[in-house]
Amino acid sequence: MRHVLDRPIWSALETAHADLAEGNKHARRYPPSIVPFAASADDTPESLGALENLPSPGESMFLVEAGPIAIPPGLVVTTEASVVQMVAARLHERISDSRIQPLTEADAADMLALATLTKPGPFTLRAQSLGSFWGIRSEGRLVAMAGQRMRQTGFIELSGLCTHPEFQGRGLGSLLFRFVAGEIASSGDTAYLHAYAANRSAISLYETQGFSVRSQMNMRVVKRRS
């Protein structure tokens, strides 16, 4: 039986994020202005055909699934990578720290600038449409942040974790990681995340924070053929 996180994008757009979904019962995506994620319901010709019709010419979509990803003939793969999906293996306590503040729409430009610098993954000015974010500022500058991205029934993805290079090594990333994991646990959901399989240092860090690998995943970035 397929796990709800085997096709995390589809599961999110079918449940907790259904109000954001573009597409139909065969294939759906988030609005590109929020995050360029898309998925088909399954690998049937109807679903793959619907997936093929989602992007405009030249528009990219990210696909993430456990197992091989079926690519319809009208789409071309521009990037591919192996990813691990990690799930909280223990209950994280809710913590507080006066340095951690909720981020709002007024912080969107600073958030995008930090994400563009550190490259934690796809990020846009409207990332907060998916979930709450928190950050740490130093002399008014946003230097670290983390938040929530995809949601499925019983699960919330911890994402957007990044620290400005000048402030790395001070424990800010670890602090925000534990904070967001605690916020997710306090809501009764299980936290999970994705990391590139080649990023062994990040995976080791997440393991020390009580996360374990649930599944190997595949990631493909696709565009419509011209």
Side-chain angles (χ1 to χ4, degrees), residues 82-86 193-197 200 203 213 215-217:
S82 295
V83 176
V84 295
Q85 185 181 84
M86 305 183 71
L193 58 85
H194 293 99
Y196 287 110
R200 296 304 310 172
I203 294 171
V213 174
S215 178
Q216 301 292 321
M217 307 288 284

Side-chain angles (χ1 to χ4, degrees), residues 8-225:
I9 299 171
W10 177 260
S11 298
L13 291 171
E14 191 181 31
T15 57
H17 281 163
D19 59 325
L20 297 173
E22 296 180 352
N24 57 34
K25 64 180 181 179
H26 297 297
R28 293 174 179 162
R29 72 171 182 178
Y30 285 95
S33 62
I34 296 178
V35 69
F37 288 173
S40 58
D42 48 43
D43 294 340
T44 62
E46 293 81 6
S47 294
L48 294 179
L51 181 68
E52 181 179 310
N53 290 326
L54 285 177
S56 301
E59 199 170 53
S60 294
M61 299 191 305
F62 283 66
L63 316 175
V64 179
E65 298 176 14
I69 300 179
I71 306 296
L75 300 179
V76 58
V77 176
T78 60
T79 304
E80 55 185 279
S82 295
V83 176
V84 295
Q85 185 181 84
M86 305 183 71
V87 176
R90 62 174 173 81
L91 188 65
H92 287 75
E93 295 182 359
R94 200 173 193 183
I95 63 173
S96 63
D97 189 295
S98 61
R99 293 172 293 175
I100 301 174
Q101 299 296 322
L103 298 175
T104 69
E105 290 184 9
D107 301 299
D110 289 345
M111 294 168 64
L112 180 60
L114 182 59
T116 300
L117 177 66
T118 57
K119 298 178 171 55
F123 203 90
T124 70
L125 284 170
R126 297 184 62 199
Q128 294 175 77
S129 301
L130 302 178
S132 300
F133 275 79
W134 295 267
I136 296 174
R137 289 185 177 273
S138 176
E139 297 180 349
R141 180 169 54 155
L142 184 65
V143 298
M145 69 175 181
Q148 304 169 356
R149 190 165 63 181
M150 288 188 288
R151 295 169 179 260
Q152 298 80 11
T153 302
F155 295 91
I156 297 178
E157 183 187 21
L158 193 163
S159 184
L161 178 67
C162 52
T163 303
H164 192 287
E166 295 177 11
F167 290 81
Q168 291 177 2
R170 304 185 188 186
L172 300 183
S174 176
L175 173 63
L176 279 166
F177 186 98
R178 290 185 290 112
F179 179 88
V180 177
E183 292 298 301
I184 293 172
S186 71
S187 70
D189 295 298
T190 299
Y192 75 101
L193 58 85
H194 293 99
Y196 287 110
N199 194 348
R200 296 304 310 172
S201 61
I203 294 171
S204 296
L205 172 63
Y206 301 149
E207 287 175 337
T208 66
Q209 297 295 332
F211 279 63
S212 60
V213 174
R214 188 198 77 84
S215 178
Q216 301 292 321
M217 307 288 284
N218 292 304
M219 186 270 286
R220 300 288 184 271
V221 181
V222 298
K223 282 187 176 181
R224 175 178 275 184
R225 292 185 184 275

